[in-house]
Amino acid sequence: MKKGLELQSITKWMNTTKPVIISGPCSAETEEQTIATAKQIAATGKVHALRAGIWKPRTRPGQYEGAGDIGLQWLMAAKKETGLPVTTEVANAAHVEACLKAGVDILWVGARTTVNPFSVQEIADSLKGVDIPVMVKNPVNPDIELWIGALERLNKAGITKMAAIHRGFSSFEKGPFRNQPMWDIAIELKTRIPDLDILCDPSHISGNRDLIAFISQKALDLDMAGLMIESHINPDAAWSDAKQQVTPAVLGKIISELVVRTVSSENKSFKDTLSILREQIDHIDDEIMQKFAQRMKISEKIGQYKKENNVTILQVTRWEEIIKTRVALCKAMGLSEEFTTDLLKLIHHESIQVQTKVMNHVEARV
Ligand code: PEP
Ligand code: MN
């Protein structure tokens, strides 16, 4: 069996409790902007580390591409002023070398770098023998294997102080978010690597400062370990990502209004009630599964019958009828149309597989 990742928890390497909050401007623009923003962020008393991009990966040319190495000096000056540890994005070995030389406390790998195993391996190689925390943003495309691959490459190089950052996924379709959250992928990551702490970056998910509080609360409710939120002393005048940045004062308000829930409670009556409700759910799940099994047995019979009569598996009018009647019924029972349609599609797909197997004596799992 493949050995899992060897990880230290973020609360240990940040020496704080959850939720861990990292904040700072999208980009370090000038020394004054970096230090003034850092001071106001530190004054909220709610932030555990400062972020600022020094080398900015911009989608299109001609935009602000970061201050470069000189920005590291500004970041270190901000650390000196505030006492907060500092973090920035690295995309290659030269960035890593410059950060280590300057004394940056924590590194992160950006979404555009996580997609590229050559770059991630270059970063990992440059970190061999170095004890520094590294956070890995999800790749821009919704590919959990790439995300895990990047974490593995760094871990193999000896980096154990790690966290993942969920910043959403690019999509051609434009929705309310700049990057689709696709929470299922973050949940799957946590399920596959339970020891890995995940932070959420609501700024890059939303692309819009008005949605940051909502996304942040949702992330905490999904038991994420903390947040990375962009904050700028004058957001509207920011040289990158202006729409999604908030002032340090708004940042402080967002953080103080977050409800921090625990994964469990020691309260006896809570535990008793929860276990009764869970028993009810277990019982209902048993029944649902038995019904699904019965339903598939009938599909098998139908497949056999269609085969004997040389009739096609798919009958569009019947399928349309099923969707129409079931959606109406489920709606009346308070179930959403989206849920009913998704569930029916899944059942129908499986039913077609079962019938295909009966008709052709083959497994056709496509
Ligand atoms: C950033 O954090 O400013 C950044 C460039 O993020 P991402 O890699 O998530 O796009
Ligand atoms: Mn940004």
Side-chain angles (χ1 to χ4, degrees):
M1 214 178 92
K2 211 170 87 188
K3 199 175 158 289
L5 271 65
E6 193 195 324
L7 299 164
Q8 299 184 51
S9 83
I10 191 166
T11 48
K12 204 170 147 210
W13 55 259
M14 287 276 289
N15 194 21
T16 184
T17 51
K18 289 182 196 173
V20 176
I21 310 287
I22 300 174
S23 186
C26 176
S27 306
E29 298 163 3
T30 64
E31 183 165 20
E32 297 69 42
Q33 168 258 4
T34 307
I35 294 175
T37 305
K39 276 185 173 169
Q40 287 194 15
I41 285 173
T44 65
K46 299 178 195 307
V47 173
H48 307 108
L50 277 177
R51 63 148 282 155
I54 303 292
W55 302 279
K56 299 302 298 177
R58 308 313 300 270
T59 305
R60 304 280 297 271
Q63 297 172 319
Y64 180 58
E65 295 194 324
D69 290 40
I70 183 79
L72 289 174
Q73 302 315 315
W74 309 339
L75 204 53
M76 298 317 291
K79 173 179 174 163
K80 209 166 161 207
E81 287 279 345
T82 61
L84 289 172
V86 291
T87 179
T88 197
E89 172 176 349
V90 289
N92 57 40
H95 294 166
V96 171
E97 200 188 319
C99 286
L100 296 179
K101 204 167 142 214
V104 170
D105 301 281
I106 306 160
L107 307 177
W108 90 75
V109 176
R112 288 161 196 77
T113 306
T114 308
V115 289
N116 185 345
F118 288 136
S119 304
V120 175
Q121 193 57 52
E122 179 184 322
I123 294 168
D125 290 342
S126 69
L127 282 169
K128 280 214 175 100
V130 182
D131 182 23
I132 189 168
V134 183
M135 307 184 290
V136 181
K137 288 206 176 192
N138 65 253
V140 280
N141 55 325
D143 184 341
I144 194 171
E145 301 302 335
L146 266 177
W147 201 359
I148 295 177
L151 290 156
E152 284 173 343
R153 285 177 196 278
L154 289 154
N155 196 236
K156 275 191 175 170
I159 302 294
T160 54
K161 295 172 179 159
M162 303 190 87
I165 304 177
H166 170 232
R167 52 76 80 194
F169 302 88
S170 285
S171 158
F172 180 63
E173 274 170 43
K174 290 292 159 231
F177 304 116
R178 175 178 174 192
N179 290 295
Q180 312 291 320
M182 300 190 181
W183 297 101
D184 290 350
I185 297 180
I187 294 169
E188 168 84 16
L189 183 67
K190 188 72 191 165
T191 314
R192 282 174 55 176
I193 314 177
D195 289 345
L196 177 68
D197 289 308
I198 306 179
L199 305 181
C200 179
D201 171 348
S203 309
H204 289 88
I205 288 179
S206 61
N208 162 3
R209 63 182 71 116
D210 297 334
L211 287 168
I212 289 174
F214 168 76
I215 305 271
S216 299
Q217 186 62 54
K218 170 126 187 175
L220 296 196
D221 290 345
L222 290 174
D223 195 29
M224 292 203 182
L227 303 164
M228 183 195 257
I229 302 179
E230 286 186 343
S231 177
H232 188 289
I233 195 161
N234 184 2
D236 286 330
W239 296 359
S240 59
D241 291 350
K243 284 202 206 105
Q244 71 194 33
Q245 302 205 58
V246 292
T247 59
V250 170
L251 171 81
K253 186 166 179 289
I254 291 174
I255 300 167
S256 58
E257 286 174 0
L258 288 171
V259 183
V260 181
R261 300 180 171 96
T262 49
V263 270
S264 64
S265 163
E266 288 314 306
N267 179 308
K268 184 163 177 345
S269 88
F270 168 82
K271 280 185 160 173
D272 289 350
T273 310
L274 190 67
S275 76
I276 291 170
L277 293 172
R278 282 185 171 159
E279 258 174 46
Q280 290 175 2
I281 281 193
D282 289 349
H283 179 66
I284 292 174
D285 280 354
D286 274 359
E287 287 191 356
I288 293 173
M289 296 307 160
Q290 284 174 34
K291 292 286 177 203
F292 279 152
Q294 273 177 6
R295 196 187 188 285
M296 290 310 156
K297 285 274 172 243
I298 298 176
S299 291
E300 236 175 79
K301 278 191 195 158
I302 291 182
Q304 188 60 38
Y305 197 57
K306 283 180 182 166
K307 183 181 179 188
E308 284 160 18
N309 290 279
N310 229 1
V311 171
T312 57
I313 293 176
L314 182 65
Q315 282 152 15
V316 176
T317 44
R318 161 81 180 148
W319 170 231
E320 282 169 352
E321 187 59 25
I322 288 182
I323 292 269
K324 208 170 97 197
T325 54
R326 311 298 197 263
V327 166
L329 175 69
C330 290
K331 229 176 176 174
M333 294 191 293
L335 296 173
S336 78
E337 183 169 342
E338 190 193 359
F339 170 72
T340 313
T341 317
D342 284 354
L343 183 63
L344 286 170
K345 278 187 190 157
L346 206 61
I347 297 172
H348 188 236
H349 182 76
E350 184 64 14
S351 179
I352 288 176
Q353 305 283 18
V354 167
Q355 294 185 48
T356 307
K357 196 174 158 197
V358 172
M359 273 202 185
N360 303 318
H361 303 287
V362 288
E363 285 276 0
R365 299 241 151 236
V366 283

